[in-house]
Amino acid sequence: MTKRVMGRASFAHILDSLGQIQIYVQVNQLGKEEYEDFKSLDIGDIVGVRGNVFRTKKGEISIKTEEITLLAKSLRPLPEKWHGLRDTDLRYRQRHLDLIVNPEVRETFVIRSKVIQAIRRYLDERGFLEVDTPILHNTAGGASARPFITHHNTLDIDMYMRIALELHLKRLIIGGFDKVYEMGRIFRNEGMSVKHNPEFTMIELYQAYADYNDIMDLTEDMIYTVAMDVLGSAEVQYEGQTIDLTPAWKRMTMIEAVKEHTGLDFNQIDSNEDIVKALKGIGIEDHKTVTWGEALNLVFEERVEEKLIQPTFITEYPVEISPLAKKMATDPRLTYRFELFIVSRELANAFSELNDPIDQRERFIAQSRKRTAGDEEAHMMDEDFINALEIGMPPTGGLGIGVDRLIMLLTNSHSIRDIILFPTMKPRD
RNA sequence: GACCCAUUAGCUCAGUCGGUAGAGCACUUGACUUUUAAUCAAGGAGUCCGGCGUUCGAGUCGCCGAUGGGUCACCA
């Protein structure tokens, strides 16, 4: 906001969430005393203005002020008016200032709200039921991640902040809700970066009698629809690249993707010697004894992920890294799973859900072994969940989307902190 | 966790070879009845991130530390 005082008449702009308008203030409209009060206003003060609308000589629509009332006084000076607030640390810590001073920040968070609205509308229209499941868990399951631990005083037990929505939503499928989703906050006690905040928003949905192919169709249609609803276009600019979200998106298996980008054909690789040789051949030295599936995933992450700029579904993930996904009938080393990559980032993860309680128990046991071997991110055994599976879960397709990363893409934001209003910050002394 | 960069007025930033701390905006005072980052004149404003060291003398050089940012590593 600006203020231009010229003796006995002045101009200023006032601003609210809908925009700004110029006001014109004259001494012979207000009287001397009121006009002096006006001149003593500061840039951040909040005022009410009454008067008639007119157009100035230069053509700007303005208000000829008849009455101006101070509604709230600003005691601290606002940041400088044309360089604004640049200090990223201060912007995140004092988001209120950032929002006042930097209009594009306001716009980003309006888009965030619209994206979330559009996702809900899409799913509600298709008969999905939105539910709320617990955030405090007795066992942290549904993903590979280190949880935050907290304590319940009355029960005198430690509890975990959820790291995924998955296991409760599957219980609802077992309970007979055929289409459910939840959009909510997830907590992971891991490193922070431009792509990671300790708490972030995820949406997970589950559809009974669907498989991962159905979910792939839904995913691309939903993201396309959201982009059209919010931006009015399926073409998105992201850090100098043009991303086209128009379906149908590229689909390839992990084995195909690895073969295309590295020349390694994992269908021809079998023995441990083959694996070591293959990894060495493309310059990956990994001395941990890796299995076939782990090696496939390792090569994919190291050599392929970065190349996936346009929307791409990677399918058929190794069973070792997919403890909740159904094994393929044609190849038990792989699962009916896909992940969606856009601008080299994982945006979604989905599979035909494992609904065989015996197989699920074995997967959990395998995970527990990793856990005791020191892998803090391996899944915990969850007897309660297996018990639920034993009741009988229909074949189900499930999907998880990192909502923050989707919003980063749609708002061309470099850092996850730019699309979370109050990102996690280290306290200051 | 490693490396690189930054930290000077409320904000955005200069500060030369080591020699009295600077600008614009904001603020205060004055002039000005159609301005658009209004203009003009004057004024106040500092723990130069902290500590230690080198030096006659440190915002500037060295070491240690803090905070932030970036890159990488780790991580769905």
Side-chain angles (χ1 to χ4, degrees), chain A residues 236-242 343 345 408-409 412-415:
Chain A
V236 179
Q237 292 297 321
Y238 191 79
E239 304 201 323
Q241 299 169 107
T242 303
V343 291
R345 287 183 194 157
M408 286 170 72
L409 176 70
N412 194 12
S413 297
H414 175 67
S415 169

Side-chain angles (χ1 to χ4, degrees), chain A residues 50 61 113 152 198 220 237 249 284 304 306 322 326 381:
Chain A
R50 195 169 56 77
I61 291 170
S113 174
H152 189 289
E220 68 183 8
Q237 292 297 321
W249 299 343
I284 298 176
V304 182
E306 60 187 3
S322 314
K326 192 182 275 185
M381 171 61 76

Side-chain angles (χ1 to χ4, degrees), chain A residues 92-347:
Chain A
Y92 299 141
R93 283 180 200 279
Q94 302 195 42
R95 186 68 91 179
H96 49 284
L97 285 181
D98 191 27
L99 287 166
I100 291 170
V101 172
N102 298 322
E104 68 284 1
V105 173
R106 165 192 297 275
E107 183 55 25
T108 295
F109 286 104
V110 170
I111 292 177
R112 182 185 173 109
S113 174
K114 286 181 178 167
V115 168
I116 287 169
Q117 229 178 359
I119 293 172
R120 284 212 165 92
R121 193 184 317 125
Y122 182 93
L123 293 174
D124 293 344
E125 279 170 0
R126 281 158 185 78
F128 281 86
L129 182 75
E130 181 170 12
V131 296
D132 293 296
T133 65
I135 291 173
L136 294 174
H137 287 189
N138 294 321
T139 37
S144 306
R146 284 160 67 190
F148 285 94
I149 300 172
T150 185
H151 188 78
H152 189 289
N153 287 339
T154 304
L155 297 178
D156 193 23
I157 51 168
D158 282 342
M159 299 191 83
Y160 302 96
M161 311 286 283
R162 67 181 174 191
I163 56 173
L165 309 169
E166 179 138 356
L167 300 184
H168 283 99
L169 293 180
K170 282 184 185 172
R171 284 174 171 89
L172 296 178
I173 294 286
I174 293 165
F177 287 123
D178 284 347
K179 290 173 156 189
V180 293
Y181 76 97
E182 177 167 8
M183 185 149 28
R185 208 68 64 80
I186 300 292
F187 306 85
R188 294 188 183 173
N189 204 344
E190 289 169 350
M192 291 163 65
S193 79
V194 87
K195 280 175 278 184
H196 300 83
N197 196 63
E199 51 179 304
F200 61 100
T201 302
M202 228 167 115
I203 179 164
E204 287 191 23
L205 65 86
Y206 292 84
Q207 179 172 356
Y209 311 107
D211 68 9
Y212 80 130
N213 284 304
D214 301 315
I215 300 296
M216 238 182 293
D217 294 342
L218 183 148
T219 304
E220 68 183 8
D221 186 51
M222 177 165 78
I223 292 178
Y224 169 76
T225 304
V226 167
M228 290 302 287
D229 278 5
V230 174
L231 304 176
S233 163
E235 282 203 350
V236 179
Q237 292 297 321
Y238 191 79
E239 304 201 323
Q241 299 169 107
T242 303
I243 307 300
D244 186 0
L245 298 173
T246 310
W249 299 343
K250 196 169 187 182
R251 300 180 181 192
M252 60 203 308
T253 68
M254 188 180 271
I255 290 178
E256 286 166 359
V258 164
K259 192 175 173 189
E260 181 177 316
H261 288 100
T262 68
L264 285 183
D265 186 354
F266 268 75
N267 283 320
Q268 307 296 325
I269 293 174
D270 228 345
S271 66
N272 279 345
E273 296 83 66
D274 284 353
I275 292 168
V276 173
K277 215 169 83 187
L279 289 182
K280 223 174 184 162
I282 58 163
I284 298 176
E285 293 279 346
D286 196 314
H287 300 293
K288 284 176 275 180
T289 45
V290 284
T291 62
W292 179 86
E294 285 167 345
L296 174 60
N297 185 56
L298 184 65
V299 174
F300 174 76
E301 285 184 348
E302 293 289 324
R303 294 291 184 269
V304 182
E305 248 183 53
E306 60 187 3
K307 305 217 169 81
L308 304 176
I309 306 298
Q310 296 298 326
T312 308
F313 289 115
I314 299 295
T315 64
E316 300 181 10
Y317 274 63
V319 66
E320 300 93 310
I321 59 161
S322 314
L324 299 164
K326 192 182 275 185
K327 273 181 208 160
M328 294 181 66
T330 50
D331 186 345
R333 298 176 302 180
L334 298 172
T335 59
Y336 296 114
R337 174 182 177 187
F338 73 82
E339 287 193 350
L340 167 64
F341 289 86
I342 307 180
V343 291
S344 313
R345 287 183 194 157
E346 175 205 338
L347 232 80

